[in-house]
Amino acid sequence: MKFTAQKRETVGTSAAKLLRNENLVPGTVYASDLDPINIAMAVADVEQIRREIGLNSVFDLEVEGKTRTVIFVKLHNLL
């Protein structure tokens, strides 16, 4: 399965609250070959991952036109 996330420039509690008000989930993508990327994903996509493939499964995530295979490390309450 492939999902899309958008890169976000703002970080912190107030920025996260604003994203959640827009039905987006804040997150960070980590990899050994790049700096951390702050992202925002649609709540519906996160819920679909949770329901259909499970939180311990890998999936493809596209950020800024580049696709990476990722896995959730930690998931907090969505809203």
Side-chain angles (χ1 to χ4, degrees):
M1 297 186 110
K2 183 176 179 180
F3 296 91
T4 303
Q6 48 189 298
K7 187 174 179 182
R8 63 185 172 101
E9 301 299 326
T10 58
V11 294
T13 303
S14 60
K17 286 181 182 179
L18 290 174
L19 287 173
R20 289 185 185 103
N21 287 340
E22 297 175 19
N23 286 325
L24 296 171
V25 178
T28 306
V29 175
Y30 298 99
S32 60
D33 61 337
L34 68 130
D35 291 332
I37 302 170
N38 294 310
I39 62 162
M41 276 184 82
V43 170
D45 287 347
V46 175
E47 287 294 338
Q48 183 180 1
I49 292 166
R50 182 186 287 184
R51 270 192 325 272
E52 295 182 14
I53 63 175
L55 295 178
N56 296 322
S57 300
V58 296
F59 58 95
D60 292 328
L61 182 66
E62 181 182 322
V63 180
E64 293 189 316
K66 296 181 183 175
T67 301
R68 296 199 172 266
T69 302
V70 299
I71 187 171
F72 282 118
V73 173
K74 185 184 287 186
L75 184 64
H76 298 276
N77 291 334
L78 296 180
L79 297 173

